[in-house]
Amino acid sequence: MAEVEYRAATRAYPSTPPVRAVDSLDLEIGDGEFLVLVGPSGSGKSTALRMLAGLEDVDEGGISIGSADVTGTPPKARDIAMVFQSYALYPHMTVGENMGFALKLRKTPKDVIRRKVAEAADLLDLREYLDRKPRALSGGQRQRVAMGRAIVRDPSVFLMDEPLSNLDAKLRVETRANIAALQRKLGTTTIYVTHDQVEAMTMGDRVAVLDGGVLQQVAAPRELYDNPANSFVAGFIGSPAMNLETVPLRGDSVSLGGHRVELPRAAQAAARGLDEVTFGVRPESLRPVSAEEDGIRMDVELVEELGADALVIGSVDVSGVAKRFTVRTDGRGVPKAGEKLNLVLRDHEEVHLFHPSTGQRLVA
Amino acid sequence: MREPRWFQWVRGVGLCLLTLFTVIPLYVMVTTSVKPLSDVQDTFQWLPSVLTLEPYVDMWSTVRLADYFVNSAVVSLGAAAFSVLIALFAAYAISRYRFRGRDAFRFTVLSTQMFPGILFLLPLYLIYATVGQATGIVLQGSHIGLIITYLTFSLPFSIWMLVSYFDSIPVDLDEAAYIDGAGPVQTLWRVVIPAAKPGIAAVSIYAFMTAWGETLFASIMTDSDSTTLAIGLRDYSTQSTVYWNEVMSASLVVSIPVVLGFLALQRYLVQGLTAGAVK
């Protein structure tokens, strides 16, 4: 087990101008930590993982695992194990041989290999499949074999590259919990790449959000949700996404749907001097009120009933332009499409303000 | 939509004619090979009046068939082995690495297939003669000379075919092997080659069959000690007699390795070994 450190690590693909797939990444991952790298496609999250694996060159900066600088080290000398999105099981080997392959390459005695493979198989409920070939397994079983292959090695770091994206929805949720539990049990430092922010929020001790090859924020899931460092993180984390619009600033308030929303006191100072501000409010921070009460007027366009609650989607007038807003409401007595709704903030402080051009958070 | 009746008839008759066209020569071959020589020299009979296996025994003594067999086997196996070995490394490099000259190499390999083989006959002969004079290494009439010749036939296609086979094997497998602790050679040997077995089998059988049946170059490049089967079959026609029954029996026996090759090839091609590797 070991900590991992990216020091201004950069991967630049040669082209004109060079594409910096990962741009000066600074990131420290503690011993035994479960860190999730999340971002949209093309954000560099997989590249960052592959740089750590040694499958991708580090063009600038460096990477360490434990106390060793591994920047130029080949994968085999890094003591890492990786679970691929495609699983990448060796098709001509049985499940047992797949899991024991790394140990075999290290010339581990046969009885030790057999014992370790059996232990991992028990842990993953694969005992009865050890003699099968991967093609005779279901998707979920293959996924577990890929996990098993990583566990058997007892590496200092686990790398996982979207290991759940080939599973169906139900199995994904189940496996998600299993992987998280397994990681806590083994206590192995784990770096997990996903584009799914639900996976990121539920699995990680901390989550690192990447966009355009640049690290946007790294924090615990709660912190990321409550205090996004910039408007990208605010829009990316949370499902449904935060309502985020750039609006003109009038004194210490903004106007939304014909309603004056006063900024939180702490934000007022930070926003002073700006003409505009990027205003964000999460769907659950809004609350419909009766037609008599003053509020943000919304024309309901669509209602998504989720059972326990419902998502009300509609348009809100923002400086003369209709913008789409989402509100999370109680599952009972939901409004209908075509109705008009008045919305108020549940809590005056539950708004997020960002600089309109830099996107940086205005208040801590 | 149902096909009209007349179409079914035309199709049936057409297929029957094609089948006869294919099967009759084979039938004549088999029946001739079990006739005594006297019957073969008489007017042609569809049904043999006397059945004998003598041609299958005599064919070994009429000409030096066993020697020819050995020559063909050495040359064909040699060509196949070298072809696969070289093609494996070349194709792996093309499939997995990006290097200067990669595209030029691919194109050159392909372009050799655009010329008819006979264009190479004279130049190759001259090269062999020159090499022989300069170094004393005898290439004309030797096994090694013929192996090299056949290698030039099968290698380009073998490389091309293995490249597309390797391309169909996900790079994830190589990367998984690297992470499991394998170097490039171990990855090729323990992961990529086993996954490419059907492709390798196809290439080796192709190279073997190319060499086994070749006559043009063999007729120029062999001498009496290195005569291959395809050339040796001509020896059954002497000045006085043509041993047609033995020609047929020998031809049938000579075809056996090729038929076996085809059967093996077929088995591998349908196997789809990479199923289950990803997803």
Side-chain angles (χ1 to χ4, degrees):
Chain A
M1 275 167 273
E3 59 280 2
V4 170
E5 188 188 3
Y6 288 88
R7 292 181 310 275
T10 298
R11 175 68 174 130
Y13 291 110
S15 70
T16 42
V19 178
R20 293 171 83 85
V22 172
D23 196 352
S24 310
L25 177 63
D26 279 304
L27 188 58
E28 281 180 42
I29 299 124
D31 188 10
E33 188 179 4
F34 194 123
L35 180 103
V36 177
L37 285 174
V38 70
S41 40
S43 60
K45 55 188 189 302
S46 281
T47 310
L49 189 79
R50 291 168 57 82
M51 286 160 76
L52 178 56
L55 298 173
E56 203 80 53
D57 289 341
V58 178
D59 296 311
E60 292 164 28
I63 295 177
S64 314
I65 298 174
S67 52
D69 185 319
V70 297
T71 308
T73 315
K76 63 191 253 183
R78 295 189 183 204
D79 194 22
I80 43 157
M82 184 157 165
V83 179
F84 290 80
Q85 179 174 4
S86 65
Y87 312 145
L89 303 179
Y90 309 123
H92 56 288
M93 298 184 200
T94 63
V95 167
E97 288 165 348
N98 260 284
M99 288 165 67
F101 184 60
L103 297 179
K104 193 173 161 189
L105 287 176
R106 276 192 247 161
K107 306 222 181 333
T108 312
K110 278 208 175 99
D111 53 320
V112 178
I113 297 180
R114 206 172 304 128
R115 197 187 52 195
K116 290 199 167 191
V117 167
E119 282 169 12
D122 284 342
L123 209 56
L124 292 159
D125 219 1
L126 285 168
R127 195 86 202 227
E128 54 195 299
Y129 305 114
L130 282 179
D131 293 326
R132 289 213 198 156
K133 293 277 177 69
R135 66 171 168 271
L137 300 180
S138 72
Q141 289 162 346
R142 285 177 200 170
Q143 204 282 332
R144 297 211 299 276
V145 177
M147 290 292 299
R149 192 166 62 179
I151 292 173
V152 166
R153 307 245 330 252
D154 196 12
S156 30
V157 186
F158 283 141
L159 309 181
M160 304 193 191
D161 191 0
E162 310 221 15
L164 303 182
S165 56
N166 284 332
L167 300 179
D168 64 53
K170 186 161 172 274
L171 200 55
R172 195 178 312 158
V173 173
E174 208 178 293
T175 313
R176 192 169 80 198
N178 289 344
I179 291 180
L182 194 63
Q183 195 271 341
R184 304 246 185 298
K185 189 167 165 185
L186 298 172
T188 308
T189 312
T190 300
I191 305 177
Y192 185 106
V193 164
T194 181
H195 64 272
D196 181 346
Q197 48 106 1
V198 178
E199 272 175 34
M201 296 291 281
T202 53
M203 298 179 85
D205 294 323
R206 284 191 306 156
V207 177
V209 184
L210 282 128
D211 183 45
V214 179
L215 180 64
Q216 304 292 318
Q217 185 175 7
V218 51
R222 186 82 251 164
E223 171 71 8
L224 214 55
Y225 193 79
D226 288 342
N227 289 309
N230 57 42
S231 56
F232 175 81
V233 176
F236 189 76
I237 298 293
S239 173
M242 181 188 284
N243 301 299
L244 207 56
E245 295 298 340
T246 299
V247 292
L249 196 57
R250 298 205 181 105
D252 290 330
S253 64
V254 296
S255 173
L256 285 174
H259 179 68
R260 204 175 70 88
V261 181
E262 199 173 322
L263 303 187
R265 204 156 295 279
Q268 290 176 1
R272 202 146 291 153
L274 291 174
D275 300 334
E276 288 182 321
V277 68
T278 302
F279 179 93
V281 59
R282 294 217 178 265
E284 67 272 20
S285 301
L286 290 166
R287 177 172 63 92
V289 291
S290 67
E292 295 84 60
E293 281 181 73
D294 185 29
I296 303 166
R297 268 195 307 283
M298 179 167 93
D299 294 328
V300 179
E301 290 170 345
L302 179 70
V303 178
E304 291 181 346
E305 300 221 36
L306 303 175
D309 45 18
L311 301 177
V312 180
I313 299 154
S315 63
V316 167
D317 177 83
V318 179
S319 342
V321 185
K323 298 285 188 180
R324 177 163 283 191
F325 268 59
T326 305
V327 185
R328 191 187 286 272
T329 67
D330 193 67
R332 317 266 168 210
V334 293
K336 289 187 176 56
E339 282 182 25
K340 292 192 189 311
L341 217 56
N342 280 355
L343 305 170
V344 295
L345 288 172
R346 282 183 195 273
D347 181 336
H348 204 63
E349 301 293 321
E350 279 184 27
V351 299
H352 304 265
L353 297 169
F354 305 97
H355 194 281
S357 48
T358 65
Q360 291 305 306
R361 187 177 188 81
L362 284 180
V363 274
Chain B
M1 206 175 76
R2 255 188 83 79
E3 289 155 348
R5 184 154 288 260
W6 65 266
F7 179 75
Q8 291 179 15
W9 275 100
V10 169
R11 184 176 56 191
V13 171
L15 287 177
C16 283
L17 286 174
L18 278 175
T19 309
L20 285 177
F21 187 72
T22 318
V23 170
I24 285 176
L26 208 60
Y27 172 81
V28 173
M29 230 174 130
V30 173
T31 51
T32 308
S33 77
V34 289
K35 288 177 190 171
L37 188 61
S38 53
D39 283 11
V40 182
Q41 285 163 334
D42 270 351
T43 45
F44 180 76
Q45 307 159 317
W46 281 98
L47 286 172
S49 49
V50 186
L51 286 181
T52 171
L53 286 178
E54 261 171 35
Y56 285 89
V57 179
D58 293 343
M59 67 182 190
W60 299 98
S61 48
T62 310
V63 303
R64 287 160 39 226
L65 191 63
D67 288 347
Y68 303 158
F69 237 107
V70 170
N71 285 337
S72 270
V74 167
V75 168
S76 304
L77 289 174
F82 280 112
S83 194
V84 167
L85 192 69
I86 298 169
L88 269 179
F89 286 104
Y92 187 66
I94 292 177
S95 173
R96 293 299 196 252
Y97 297 100
R98 298 289 168 269
F99 51 90
R100 190 184 295 272
R102 177 174 169 271
D103 289 334
F105 180 68
R106 282 184 84 134
F107 178 75
T108 311
V109 164
L110 184 65
S111 64
T112 58
Q113 299 291 288
M114 294 172 188
F115 301 100
I118 194 162
L119 279 184
F120 299 116
L121 183 56
L122 197 58
L124 201 61
Y125 191 84
L126 289 175
I127 290 171
Y128 282 7
T130 313
V131 169
Q133 274 169 6
T135 64
I137 301 169
V138 183
L139 292 173
Q140 314 110 288
S142 70
H143 285 152
I144 189 71
L146 213 51
I147 288 176
I148 294 172
T149 308
Y150 292 152
L151 203 53
T152 64
F153 293 1
S154 55
L155 197 50
F157 181 78
S158 301
I159 292 173
W160 201 258
M161 191 161 151
L162 276 184
V163 167
S164 44
Y165 213 91
F166 284 157
D167 282 349
S168 74
I169 297 171
V171 183
D172 281 4
L173 282 188
D174 302 46
E175 294 183 340
Y178 288 147
I179 289 189
D180 270 346
V185 177
Q186 274 175 318
T187 302
L188 177 64
W189 184 247
R190 292 190 178 229
V191 173
V192 180
I193 288 180
K197 258 189 208 156
I200 293 166
V203 163
S204 41
I205 290 162
Y206 165 80
F208 178 84
M209 291 195 311
T210 309
W212 189 261
E214 206 279 332
T215 51
L216 176 64
F217 281 66
S219 66
I220 305 294
M221 299 284 194
T222 57
D223 58 23
S224 60
D225 283 337
S226 59
T227 305
T228 56
L229 284 170
I231 303 305
L233 287 179
R234 291 192 305 212
D235 292 359
Y236 286 104
S237 80
T238 61
Q239 279 188 334
S240 52
T241 326
V242 180
Y243 295 89
W244 279 114
N245 53 350
E246 291 179 27
V247 171
M248 294 306 165
S249 59
S251 299
L252 282 171
V253 171
V254 165
S255 316
I256 288 172
V258 181
V259 173
L260 289 181
F262 257 120
L263 290 179
L265 178 81
Q266 202 183 8
R267 190 173 70 87
Y268 266 111
L269 284 185
V270 293
Q271 199 172 357
L273 248 180
T274 47
V278 296
K279 286 219 178 165

